[in-house]
Amino acid sequence: MSAGTDIFTTLGLTKIRDAAGTASQVKIKYIALGDGQGAAYAPTANQTTLRRERLRTEIERHYPVGTNAWHVKASFPPETAEITVREMGFL
């Protein structure tokens, strides 16, 4: 399994920038998983969606584990279809 690539989208960075120094918060509520339409690809900062989202669920809880890392818990029900995850987004 490869380590993957972290990509901050242009829209995501704009929301973070707009919230910086204000009382606003950037709320990340969901995690989405996709199969990349069956092939690995290089994501871009201009993407606003996953190439092919297959699963989405609400984040149950999260907490920081460093200055730039979070532990996130999200569960999918046992009957969730099995997919090969090639892309993931936090929404």
Side-chain angles (χ1 to χ4, degrees):
M1 177 156 81
S2 65
T5 302
D6 297 334
I7 299 288
F8 285 96
T9 64
T10 303
L11 180 60
L13 286 173
T14 299
K15 289 183 177 198
I16 292 168
R17 185 201 65 223
D18 291 348
T22 71
S24 299
Q25 295 181 351
V26 175
K27 294 184 181 184
I28 299 172
K29 192 170 182 178
Y30 297 97
I31 185 170
L33 306 175
D35 66 4
Q37 295 180 331
Y41 70 98
T44 69
N46 294 326
Q47 281 184 245
T48 57
T49 63
L50 298 179
R51 190 172 271 182
R52 183 165 61 185
E53 182 179 323
R54 299 288 307 276
L55 305 168
R56 183 185 291 210
T57 193
E58 195 164 345
I59 293 172
E60 296 170 24
R61 63 179 171 251
H62 62 280
Y63 57 87
V65 293
T67 57
N68 64 348
W70 288 78
H71 177 89
V72 175
K73 180 180 180 192
S75 300
F76 292 91
E79 65 275 6
T80 301
E82 183 177 310
I83 68 166
T84 299
V85 177
R86 292 187 175 92
E87 54 186 349
M88 176 173 46
F90 292 95
L91 314 157

